[in-house]
Coordinates of all heavy atoms in Angstrom, one line a residue:
M1 N -63.9 -42.8 -41.7 CA -63.2 -42.3 -40.5 C -61.7 -42.6 -40.6 O -60.9 -42.1 -39.8 CB -63.7 -43.0 -39.2 CG -65.1 -42.4 -38.8 SD -64.9 -40.9 -37.8 CE -64.8 -41.6 -36.2
S2 N -61.3 -43.5 -41.5 CA -59.9 -43.9 -41.5 C -59.2 -43.1 -42.6 O -58.2 -43.6 -43.1 CB -59.8 -45.4 -41.8 OG -60.4 -45.7 -43.0
K3 N -59.6 -41.9 -42.8 CA -58.9 -41.1 -43.8 C -57.6 -40.5 -43.1 O -57.7 -39.5 -42.4 CB -59.8 -40.0 -44.3 CG -59.6 -39.9 -45.8 CD -60.5 -38.8 -46.3 CE -60.4 -38.7 -47.8 NZ -61.2 -37.6 -48.3
A4 N -56.5 -41.2 -43.4 CA -55.3 -40.7 -42.7 C -54.6 -39.7 -43.6 O -53.4 -39.7 -43.7 CB -54.3 -41.9 -42.5
N5 N -55.4 -38.9 -44.2 CA -54.8 -37.9 -45.0 C -54.5 -36.6 -44.3 O -55.2 -35.6 -44.4 CB -55.7 -37.6 -46.2 CG -55.0 -37.0 -47.3 OD1 -53.8 -36.8 -47.3 ND2 -55.7 -36.7 -48.4
K6 N -53.5 -36.7 -43.4 CA -53.2 -35.5 -42.6 C -52.6 -34.4 -43.6 O -52.0 -34.7 -44.6 CB -52.1 -35.8 -41.7 CG -52.6 -36.4 -40.3 CD -51.4 -36.4 -39.4 CE -51.7 -37.4 -38.2 NZ -50.5 -37.7 -37.4
H7 N -52.9 -33.2 -43.1 CA -52.4 -32.1 -44.0 C -50.9 -32.0 -43.7 O -50.5 -31.6 -42.6 CB -53.1 -30.8 -43.6 CG -52.6 -29.7 -44.3 ND1 -52.8 -29.5 -45.7 CD2 -51.9 -28.6 -44.0 CE1 -52.3 -28.4 -46.1 NE2 -51.6 -27.8 -45.1
I8 N -50.1 -32.2 -44.8 CA -48.7 -32.0 -44.6 C -48.3 -30.8 -45.4 O -48.5 -30.8 -46.7 CB -47.9 -33.2 -45.1 CG1 -48.4 -34.4 -44.3 CG2 -46.4 -33.0 -45.0 CD1 -47.8 -35.7 -44.8
P9 N -47.7 -29.8 -44.8 CA -47.3 -28.6 -45.6 C -46.1 -29.0 -46.5 O -45.2 -29.7 -46.0 CB -46.9 -27.6 -44.5 CG -47.0 -28.3 -43.2 CD -47.4 -29.7 -43.4
I10 N -46.2 -28.5 -47.7 CA -45.1 -28.8 -48.6 C -44.3 -27.5 -48.9 O -44.9 -26.5 -49.1 CB -45.7 -29.3 -50.0 CG1 -46.5 -30.6 -49.8 CG2 -44.6 -29.6 -51.0 CD1 -45.7 -31.8 -49.3
R11 N -43.1 -27.7 -48.9 CA -42.2 -26.5 -49.2 C -41.2 -26.8 -50.2 O -40.9 -28.0 -50.4 CB -41.5 -26.0 -47.9 CG -42.4 -25.5 -46.8 CD -43.1 -24.2 -47.2 NE -44.0 -23.7 -46.2 CZ -45.2 -24.0 -46.0 NH1 -45.8 -24.8 -46.9 NH2 -45.9 -23.5 -45.1
T12 N -40.7 -25.8 -50.9 CA -39.8 -26.0 -52.0 C -38.4 -25.7 -51.5 O -38.1 -24.6 -50.9 CB -40.2 -25.2 -53.1 OG1 -41.5 -25.5 -53.5 CG2 -39.2 -25.5 -54.3
C13 N -37.5 -26.6 -51.8 CA -36.0 -26.3 -51.5 C -35.6 -25.2 -52.5 O -35.8 -25.3 -53.7 CB -35.2 -27.6 -51.7 SG -33.4 -27.2 -51.8
V14 N -35.0 -24.1 -51.9 CA -34.7 -23.0 -52.8 C -33.5 -23.3 -53.7 O -33.3 -22.6 -54.7 CB -34.4 -21.7 -52.0 CG1 -35.7 -21.2 -51.3 CG2 -33.3 -21.9 -51.0
I15 N -32.8 -24.3 -53.5 CA -31.7 -24.7 -54.3 C -32.0 -25.6 -55.4 O -31.9 -25.3 -56.6 CB -30.5 -25.3 -53.5 CG1 -30.2 -24.5 -52.2 CG2 -29.3 -25.6 -54.3 CD1 -29.6 -23.2 -52.6
C16 N -32.6 -26.7 -55.1 CA -32.9 -27.7 -56.2 C -34.3 -27.6 -56.7 O -34.7 -28.3 -57.6 CB -32.5 -29.1 -55.7 SG -33.6 -29.7 -54.3
R17 N -35.1 -26.8 -56.0 CA -36.5 -26.6 -56.5 C -37.4 -27.8 -56.3 O -38.4 -27.9 -57.0 CB -36.5 -26.1 -57.9 CG -35.9 -24.8 -58.1 CD -36.9 -23.7 -57.6 NE -36.2 -22.4 -57.5 CZ -36.8 -21.4 -56.9 NH1 -38.0 -21.5 -56.4 NH2 -36.2 -20.3 -56.8
Q18 N -37.0 -28.8 -55.6 CA -37.8 -29.9 -55.4 C -38.7 -29.7 -54.2 O -38.4 -29.0 -53.2 CB -37.0 -31.2 -55.2 CG -36.3 -31.6 -56.5 CD -35.9 -33.1 -56.3 OE1 -36.5 -34.0 -55.9 NE2 -34.6 -33.2 -56.6
K19 N -39.8 -30.4 -54.2 CA -40.8 -30.2 -53.1 C -40.7 -31.3 -52.1 O -40.5 -32.4 -52.4 CB -42.2 -30.1 -53.7 CG -42.3 -28.8 -54.5 CD -43.7 -28.6 -55.0 CE -43.8 -27.2 -55.6 NZ -44.8 -27.1 -56.6
Y20 N -40.7 -30.9 -50.9 CA -40.6 -31.8 -49.8 C -41.6 -31.4 -48.7 O -42.0 -30.3 -48.6 CB -39.2 -31.7 -49.1 CG -38.1 -32.2 -50.0 CD1 -37.4 -31.2 -50.8 CD2 -37.7 -33.5 -50.1 CE1 -36.4 -31.6 -51.7 CE2 -36.7 -33.8 -50.9 CZ -36.0 -32.9 -51.7 OH -35.0 -33.3 -52.5
P21 N -42.0 -32.5 -47.9 CA -42.7 -32.1 -46.7 C -41.9 -31.2 -45.8 O -40.7 -31.4 -45.7 CB -42.9 -33.5 -46.0 CG -42.7 -34.5 -47.1 CD -41.7 -33.9 -48.1
K22 N -42.6 -30.3 -45.3 CA -41.9 -29.2 -44.5 C -40.9 -29.7 -43.5 O -39.8 -29.2 -43.3 CB -42.9 -28.4 -43.8 CG -42.4 -27.1 -43.2 CD -43.6 -26.4 -42.6 CE -43.0 -25.3 -41.7 NZ -44.1 -24.6 -40.9
H23 N -41.3 -30.8 -42.8 CA -40.4 -31.3 -41.7 C -39.1 -32.0 -42.2 O -38.2 -32.3 -41.5 CB -41.2 -32.2 -40.8 CG -41.7 -33.5 -41.5 ND1 -42.9 -33.6 -42.0 CD2 -41.0 -34.6 -41.8 CE1 -43.1 -34.8 -42.6 NE2 -41.9 -35.5 -42.5
E24 N -39.1 -32.2 -43.5 CA -37.8 -32.8 -44.0 C -36.8 -31.7 -44.5 O -35.8 -32.0 -45.0 CB -38.1 -33.7 -45.2 CG -38.8 -35.0 -44.8 CD -39.0 -35.9 -45.9 OE1 -38.4 -35.7 -47.0 OE2 -39.8 -36.8 -45.7
L25 N -37.2 -30.5 -44.4 CA -36.4 -29.4 -44.8 C -35.8 -28.7 -43.6 O -36.3 -28.7 -42.5 CB -37.2 -28.4 -45.7 CG -37.7 -29.0 -47.0 CD1 -38.8 -28.1 -47.6 CD2 -36.6 -29.3 -47.9
V26 N -34.7 -28.0 -43.9 CA -34.1 -27.2 -42.9 C -34.6 -25.7 -43.2 O -34.5 -25.2 -44.3 CB -32.5 -27.1 -43.0 CG1 -31.9 -26.3 -41.9 CG2 -32.0 -28.6 -42.9
R27 N -35.1 -25.1 -42.2 CA -35.6 -23.8 -42.4 C -34.5 -22.7 -42.0 O -33.9 -22.8 -41.0 CB -36.8 -23.5 -41.5 CG -37.4 -22.2 -41.7 CD -38.7 -22.0 -41.0 NE -39.5 -20.9 -41.4 CZ -39.6 -19.7 -40.6 NH1 -39.1 -19.7 -39.4 NH2 -40.3 -18.7 -41.0
F28 N -34.3 -21.8 -42.9 CA -33.5 -20.6 -42.6 C -34.3 -19.4 -42.5 O -35.4 -19.3 -43.2 CB -32.5 -20.4 -43.7 CG -31.4 -21.4 -43.8 CD1 -31.6 -22.6 -44.5 CD2 -30.2 -21.2 -43.2 CE1 -30.7 -23.6 -44.5 CE2 -29.2 -22.2 -43.3 CZ -29.4 -23.4 -43.9
T29 N -34.0 -18.6 -41.6 CA -34.8 -17.3 -41.4 C -33.9 -16.2 -41.9 O -32.7 -16.2 -41.9 CB -35.2 -17.1 -40.0 OG1 -34.1 -17.2 -39.2 CG2 -36.3 -18.1 -39.6
C30 N -34.6 -15.1 -42.2 CA -33.9 -13.9 -42.7 C -33.2 -13.3 -41.5 O -33.7 -13.2 -40.4 CB -35.0 -12.9 -43.2 SG -35.7 -13.5 -44.7
P31 N -31.9 -13.0 -41.8 CA -31.1 -12.4 -40.8 C -31.3 -11.0 -40.5 O -32.0 -10.3 -41.3 CB -29.7 -12.6 -41.4 CG -29.9 -12.5 -42.8 CD -31.3 -13.0 -43.1
R32 N -30.9 -10.6 -39.4 CA -31.0 -9.2 -39.0 C -29.9 -8.3 -39.7 O -30.1 -7.1 -39.9 CB -31.0 -9.0 -37.5 CG -32.3 -9.4 -37.0 CD -32.2 -9.6 -35.5 NE -33.5 -10.3 -35.1 CZ -34.5 -9.7 -34.6 NH1 -34.5 -8.4 -34.4 NH2 -35.6 -10.4 -34.3
T33 N -28.8 -8.9 -39.9 CA -27.8 -8.2 -40.6 C -27.7 -8.9 -42.0 O -28.3 -9.9 -42.3 CB -26.4 -8.3 -39.9 OG1 -26.1 -9.7 -39.8 CG2 -26.5 -7.7 -38.6
E34 N -27.0 -8.3 -42.9 CA -27.0 -8.7 -44.3 C -26.4 -10.0 -44.6 O -26.8 -10.7 -45.5 CB -26.4 -7.6 -45.1 CG -27.3 -7.1 -46.2 CD -26.6 -6.1 -47.1 OE1 -26.4 -5.0 -46.6 OE2 -26.2 -6.5 -48.1
N35 N -25.4 -10.4 -43.8 CA -24.6 -11.5 -44.3 C -24.7 -12.8 -43.6 O -24.2 -13.8 -43.9 CB -23.1 -11.1 -44.2 CG -22.9 -10.0 -45.2 OD1 -23.2 -10.1 -46.3 ND2 -22.3 -8.9 -44.7
E36 N -25.5 -12.8 -42.5 CA -25.6 -14.1 -41.8 C -27.0 -14.7 -41.9 O -28.0 -14.2 -41.6 CB -25.4 -13.8 -40.3 CG -24.0 -14.0 -39.9 CD -23.8 -13.7 -38.4 OE1 -24.3 -14.5 -37.6 OE2 -23.3 -12.7 -38.1
L37 N -27.0 -16.0 -42.4 CA -28.2 -16.7 -42.4 C -28.4 -17.3 -41.0 O -27.5 -17.7 -40.4 CB -28.2 -17.8 -43.5 CG -28.4 -17.3 -44.9 CD1 -28.1 -18.4 -45.8 CD2 -29.7 -16.7 -45.1
Q38 N -29.6 -17.4 -40.7 CA -29.9 -18.1 -39.4 C -30.7 -19.3 -39.6 O -31.7 -19.4 -40.3 CB -30.7 -17.2 -38.5 CG -29.9 -15.9 -38.1 CD -30.8 -15.0 -37.2 OE1 -31.9 -14.8 -37.5 NE2 -30.2 -14.6 -36.1
I39 N -30.2 -20.4 -39.1 CA -30.9 -21.7 -39.1 C -32.0 -21.6 -38.0 O -31.7 -21.2 -36.9 CB -30.0 -22.9 -38.9 CG1 -29.1 -23.0 -40.1 CG2 -30.8 -24.1 -38.8 CD1 -28.2 -24.2 -40.1
D40 N -33.1 -22.1 -38.4 CA -34.2 -22.1 -37.5 C -34.6 -23.6 -37.2 O -35.3 -24.2 -37.9 CB -35.4 -21.4 -38.1 CG -36.6 -21.5 -37.2 OD1 -36.5 -21.9 -36.1 OD2 -37.7 -21.3 -37.7
P41 N -34.0 -24.1 -36.1 CA -34.1 -25.5 -35.9 C -35.6 -25.9 -35.5 O -36.0 -27.1 -35.7 CB -33.2 -25.8 -34.7 CG -32.8 -24.5 -34.1 CD -33.2 -23.4 -35.2
T42 N -36.3 -25.0 -35.0 CA -37.7 -25.4 -34.6 C -38.7 -25.2 -35.7 O -39.7 -25.7 -35.7 CB -38.1 -24.5 -33.4 OG1 -38.2 -23.1 -33.8 CG2 -37.1 -24.6 -32.3
G43 N -38.3 -24.4 -36.7 CA -39.2 -24.1 -37.8 C -40.3 -23.2 -37.4 O -41.3 -23.1 -38.1
K44 N -40.2 -22.6 -36.3 CA -41.3 -21.8 -35.8 C -41.0 -20.3 -35.6 O -41.8 -19.6 -35.0 CB -41.8 -22.4 -34.4 CG -42.5 -23.6 -34.6 CD -42.9 -24.2 -33.3 CE -43.5 -25.6 -33.5 NZ -43.7 -26.3 -32.3
S45 N -39.8 -19.9 -35.9 CA -39.4 -18.5 -35.7 C -40.3 -17.6 -36.6 O -40.7 -18.0 -37.7 CB -38.0 -18.3 -36.1 OG -37.1 -19.0 -35.2
P46 N -40.7 -16.5 -36.0 CA -41.5 -15.6 -36.8 C -40.7 -15.0 -37.9 O -39.4 -15.0 -37.9 CB -41.9 -14.6 -35.8 CG -40.9 -14.6 -34.7 CD -40.3 -16.0 -34.7
G47 N -41.4 -14.4 -38.8 CA -40.6 -13.7 -39.9 C -40.5 -14.5 -41.1 O -40.9 -15.7 -41.1
R48 N -39.9 -14.0 -42.1 CA -39.8 -14.7 -43.3 C -38.7 -15.8 -43.3 O -37.7 -15.6 -42.5 CB -39.4 -13.8 -44.4 CG -40.6 -12.9 -44.9 CD -40.3 -12.2 -46.1 NE -40.9 -10.9 -46.0 CZ -40.8 -10.0 -47.0 NH1 -40.1 -10.3 -48.1 NH2 -41.4 -8.8 -46.9
G49 N -38.9 -16.8 -44.1 CA -37.8 -17.8 -44.1 C -37.9 -18.5 -45.3 O -38.7 -18.3 -46.2
F50 N -37.0 -19.4 -45.5 CA -37.0 -20.3 -46.7 C -36.4 -21.6 -46.3 O -35.9 -21.8 -45.2 CB -36.4 -19.6 -47.9 CG -34.9 -19.2 -47.5 CD1 -33.9 -20.0 -47.7 CD2 -34.7 -17.9 -47.1 CE1 -32.6 -19.7 -47.5 CE2 -33.4 -17.5 -46.8 CZ -32.3 -18.4 -47.0
Y51 N -36.6 -22.6 -47.2 CA -36.2 -23.9 -46.9 C -35.2 -24.5 -47.8 O -35.2 -24.3 -49.0 CB -37.5 -24.8 -47.0 CG -38.5 -24.3 -46.0 CD1 -39.4 -23.3 -46.3 CD2 -38.6 -24.9 -44.7 CE1 -40.3 -22.9 -45.3 CE2 -39.5 -24.5 -43.8 CZ -40.4 -23.5 -44.1 OH -41.3 -23.1 -43.2
V52 N -34.4 -25.3 -47.3 CA -33.4 -26.1 -48.0 C -33.4 -27.5 -47.6 O -33.6 -27.8 -46.4 CB -32.0 -25.5 -47.7 CG1 -30.9 -26.3 -48.5 CG2 -31.9 -24.0 -48.1
C53 N -33.3 -28.4 -48.6 CA -33.4 -29.8 -48.2 C -32.0 -30.3 -47.7 O -31.1 -29.6 -47.6 CB -33.8 -30.6 -49.5 SG -32.5 -30.8 -50.7
H54 N -32.0 -31.6 -47.3 CA -30.8 -32.1 -46.6 C -29.8 -32.6 -47.6 O -28.8 -33.1 -47.1 CB -31.2 -33.3 -45.7 CG -31.9 -32.7 -44.5 ND1 -31.2 -32.3 -43.4 CD2 -33.2 -32.6 -44.1 CE1 -32.0 -31.9 -42.4 NE2 -33.2 -32.1 -42.8
K55 N -30.0 -32.5 -48.8 CA -29.0 -33.0 -49.8 C -27.7 -32.2 -49.6 O -27.7 -31.0 -49.5 CB -29.5 -32.9 -51.2 CG -30.3 -34.1 -51.6 CD -30.6 -34.1 -53.1 CE -31.7 -33.1 -53.4 NZ -32.3 -33.3 -54.7
E56 N -26.6 -32.9 -49.7 CA -25.3 -32.3 -49.4 C -25.1 -31.1 -50.3 O -24.6 -30.1 -50.0 CB -24.2 -33.4 -49.6 CG -23.0 -33.0 -48.7 CD -21.9 -34.0 -49.0 OE1 -22.1 -35.1 -49.5 OE2 -20.7 -33.6 -48.8
R57 N -25.4 -31.4 -51.6 CA -25.2 -30.3 -52.6 C -26.0 -29.1 -52.2 O -25.5 -28.0 -52.4 CB -25.7 -30.9 -53.9 CG -25.4 -30.1 -55.1 CD -25.6 -30.9 -56.4 NE -27.0 -31.4 -56.4 CZ -27.9 -30.8 -57.1 NH1 -27.6 -29.7 -57.8 NH2 -29.2 -31.2 -57.1
C58 N -27.2 -29.2 -51.8 CA -28.0 -28.1 -51.4 C -27.5 -27.4 -50.2 O -27.4 -26.2 -50.1 CB -29.4 -28.5 -51.2 SG -30.2 -29.0 -52.7
Q59 N -27.0 -28.2 -49.2 CA -26.5 -27.6 -48.0 C -25.2 -26.8 -48.3 O -25.0 -25.8 -47.7 CB -26.2 -28.8 -47.0 CG -27.4 -29.4 -46.4 CD -28.2 -28.5 -45.6 OE1 -27.7 -27.8 -44.7 NE2 -29.5 -28.5 -45.7
K60 N -24.5 -27.3 -49.2 CA -23.2 -26.6 -49.6 C -23.6 -25.3 -50.3 O -22.9 -24.3 -50.2 CB -22.3 -27.5 -50.4 CG -21.5 -28.4 -49.6 CD -20.5 -29.1 -50.5 CE -19.7 -30.1 -49.7 NZ -19.1 -31.1 -50.5
N61 N -24.5 -25.4 -51.2 CA -24.8 -24.3 -52.0 C -25.5 -23.1 -51.3 O -25.6 -22.0 -51.9 CB -25.6 -24.7 -53.2 CG -24.8 -25.4 -54.3 OD1 -23.6 -25.2 -54.2 ND2 -25.4 -26.1 -55.2
I62 N -26.1 -23.4 -50.2 CA -26.8 -22.4 -49.5 C -25.9 -21.2 -49.2 O -26.4 -20.0 -49.2 CB -27.5 -22.9 -48.2 CG1 -28.5 -21.9 -47.7 CG2 -26.5 -23.4 -47.2 CD1 -29.6 -21.5 -48.6
S63 N -24.7 -21.5 -48.9 CA -23.8 -20.4 -48.6 C -23.5 -19.5 -49.8 O -23.1 -18.3 -49.7 CB -22.5 -20.9 -48.0 OG -21.9 -21.8 -48.9
K64 N -23.7 -20.1 -51.0 CA -23.4 -19.3 -52.2 C -24.7 -18.7 -52.8 O -24.7 -17.8 -53.6 CB -22.9 -20.2 -53.3 CG -21.5 -20.7 -53.0 CD -21.0 -21.4 -54.2 CE -20.1 -22.6 -53.8 NZ -20.1 -23.7 -54.8
F65 N -25.8 -19.2 -52.3 CA -27.1 -18.8 -52.8 C -27.4 -17.4 -52.4 O -27.3 -17.0 -51.3 CB -28.1 -19.8 -52.2 CG -29.6 -19.4 -52.6 CD1 -29.9 -19.4 -53.9 CD2 -30.5 -19.1 -51.7 CE1 -31.3 -19.1 -54.3 CE2 -31.8 -18.7 -52.0 CZ -32.2 -18.8 -53.3
R66 N -27.7 -16.6 -53.5 CA -27.9 -15.2 -53.2 C -29.4 -14.8 -53.2 O -29.8 -13.7 -52.7 CB -27.3 -14.4 -54.3 CG -25.8 -14.5 -54.3 CD -25.2 -13.8 -53.2 NE -23.7 -14.0 -53.1 CZ -22.8 -13.2 -53.3 NH1 -23.1 -12.0 -53.7 NH2 -21.6 -13.5 -53.1
G67 N -30.2 -15.7 -53.6 CA -31.6 -15.4 -53.8 C -32.3 -15.1 -52.5 O -33.3 -14.3 -52.5
W68 N -31.7 -15.5 -51.4 CA -32.4 -15.2 -50.1 C -32.3 -13.7 -49.8 O -33.2 -13.2 -49.1 CB -31.7 -16.0 -49.0 CG -30.3 -15.7 -48.7 CD1 -29.2 -16.3 -49.3 CD2 -29.8 -14.7 -47.9 NE1 -28.0 -15.7 -48.8 CE2 -28.3 -14.7 -47.9 CE3 -30.4 -13.7 -47.0 CZ2 -27.5 -13.9 -47.2 CZ3 -29.5 -12.9 -46.3 CH2 -28.1 -12.9 -46.4
R69 N -31.4 -13.1 -50.4 CA -31.4 -11.6 -50.2 C -32.7 -10.9 -50.8 O -33.2 -10.0 -50.2 CB -30.2 -11.0 -50.8 CG -28.9 -11.4 -50.1 CD -27.7 -11.0 -50.9 NE -26.5 -11.7 -50.4 CZ -25.7 -11.2 -49.4 NH1 -26.0 -10.1 -48.9 NH2 -24.7 -11.9 -48.9
N70 N -33.1 -11.5 -51.9 CA -34.4 -11.0 -52.4 C -35.5 -11.4 -51.6 O -36.4 -10.6 -51.3 CB -34.5 -11.5 -53.8 CG -33.6 -10.8 -54.8 OD1 -33.2 -9.7 -54.6 ND2 -33.2 -11.6 -55.8
K71 N -35.5 -12.6 -51.2 CA -36.6 -13.1 -50.3 C -36.7 -12.3 -49.1 O -37.8 -12.1 -48.5 CB -36.4 -14.6 -50.0 CG -36.7 -15.5 -51.1 CD -36.6 -17.0 -50.6 CE -36.8 -17.9 -51.8 NZ -38.1 -17.8 -52.5
C72 N -35.6 -11.9 -48.6 CA -35.6 -11.2 -47.3 C -35.7 -9.7 -47.5 O -35.6 -8.9 -46.5 CB -34.3 -11.5 -46.6 SG -34.2 -13.3 -46.1
K73 N -35.8 -9.2 -48.7 CA -35.9 -7.8 -48.9 C -37.0 -7.2 -48.0 O -38.1 -7.7 -47.9 CB -36.3 -7.6 -50.4 CG -35.4 -6.6 -51.1 CD -35.9 -6.4 -52.5 CE -34.7 -6.4 -53.4 NZ -35.1 -6.4 -54.8
G74 N -36.7 -6.1 -47.5 CA -37.7 -5.4 -46.7 C -37.7 -5.8 -45.2 O -38.3 -5.3 -44.4
V75 N -36.9 -6.9 -45.0 CA -36.9 -7.4 -43.6 C -35.6 -6.9 -42.9 O -35.5 -7.0 -41.7 CB -36.9 -8.9 -43.6 CG1 -37.0 -9.5 -42.2 CG2 -38.0 -9.5 -44.5
R76 N -34.8 -6.3 -43.7 CA -33.5 -5.9 -43.1 C -33.7 -4.8 -42.1 O -34.4 -3.8 -42.2 CB -32.6 -5.3 -44.2 CG -31.4 -6.1 -44.4 CD -30.8 -5.9 -45.8 NE -30.4 -4.5 -45.9 CZ -30.1 -3.9 -47.0 NH1 -30.1 -4.7 -48.1 NH2 -29.7 -2.7 -47.1
H77 N -33.1 -5.1 -41.0 CA -33.2 -4.1 -39.8 C -32.1 -3.2 -39.8 O -32.1 -2.1 -39.3 CB -33.3 -4.9 -38.5 CG -34.5 -5.8 -38.4 ND1 -35.6 -5.4 -37.6 CD2 -34.8 -7.0 -39.0 CE1 -36.5 -6.4 -37.7 NE2 -36.0 -7.3 -38.5
V78 N -31.0 -3.6 -40.4 CA -29.8 -2.8 -40.4 C -29.6 -2.2 -41.7 O -29.5 -2.8 -42.7 CB -28.6 -3.7 -40.0 CG1 -27.3 -2.8 -40.0 CG2 -28.8 -4.4 -38.7
Q79 N -29.5 -0.9 -41.7 CA -29.3 -0.2 -42.9 C -27.9 0.4 -42.9 O -27.2 0.4 -41.9 CB -30.2 1.0 -43.0 CG -31.7 0.6 -42.9 CD -32.5 0.9 -44.1 OE1 -32.0 1.5 -45.1 NE2 -33.7 0.3 -44.2
N80 N -27.4 0.7 -44.1 CA -26.1 1.4 -44.2 C -26.2 2.7 -43.6 O -26.6 3.7 -44.1 CB -25.8 1.5 -45.7 CG -24.4 0.8 -46.0 OD1 -23.7 0.5 -45.0 ND2 -24.1 0.7 -47.2
A81 N -25.7 2.7 -42.4 CA -25.9 4.0 -41.6 C -24.7 5.0 -41.8 O -23.8 5.0 -41.0 CB -26.1 3.7 -40.1
R82 N -24.8 5.6 -43.0 CA -23.7 6.5 -43.2 C -24.3 7.8 -43.7 O -25.0 7.8 -44.7 CB -22.7 6.0 -44.2 CG -21.5 5.4 -43.4 CD -20.4 5.1 -44.4 NE -19.7 3.9 -43.9 CZ -18.7 3.3 -44.6 NH1 -18.3 3.8 -45.7 NH2 -18.2 2.2 -44.0
Ligands
LIG1 ZN1 -32.4 -29.2 -52.3

């Protein structure tokens, strides 16, 4: 009865590729427009998202990280309307 093995979801930081318990990561969700990342402070927003750890390096690199565009492919609501 004392099995304190709670299920902890593990997620991977998209920058450093290290694995962390979900609650130690910052969740970003796919934006509705192409250029803005949205931080999801509750971790509960619907839709696709990805995770970045709290390391300063990773937090800085998230602005340069392009991979999220792929991750968010197909979620884009705004198209080039021309
Ligand atoms: Zn990281």
Side-chain angles (χ1 to χ4, degrees):
M1 284 277 273
S2 60
K3 223 181 181 182
N5 202 0
K6 275 191 199 167
H7 179 70
I8 300 173
I10 302 293
R11 294 293 180 270
T12 305
C13 170
V14 293
I15 306 294
C16 65
R17 293 283 168 194
Q18 286 195 54
K19 292 185 174 153
Y20 295 91
K22 189 180 168 185
H23 62 262
E24 288 184 18
L25 297 167
V26 180
R27 184 173 190 254
F28 289 83
T29 52
C30 292
R32 281 162 195 265
T33 60
E34 234 181 286
N35 295 309
E36 265 180 72
L37 285 173
Q38 295 181 313
I39 291 183
D40 172 16
T42 66
K44 286 177 186 169
S45 297
R48 286 190 216 182
F50 53 90
Y51 297 85
V52 179
C53 72
H54 284 280
K55 274 189 283 195
E56 206 187 336
R57 193 164 55 97
C58 293
Q59 291 292 316
K60 276 184 185 166
N61 282 343
I62 188 60
S63 55
K64 292 185 214 154
F65 177 64
R66 296 286 171 113
W68 64 269
R69 288 167 197 273
N70 288 329
K71 286 189 185 298
C72 296
K73 231 182 224 170
V75 188
R76 245 161 61 193
H77 296 257
V78 180
Q79 305 244 349
N80 234 348
R82 261 190 217 178

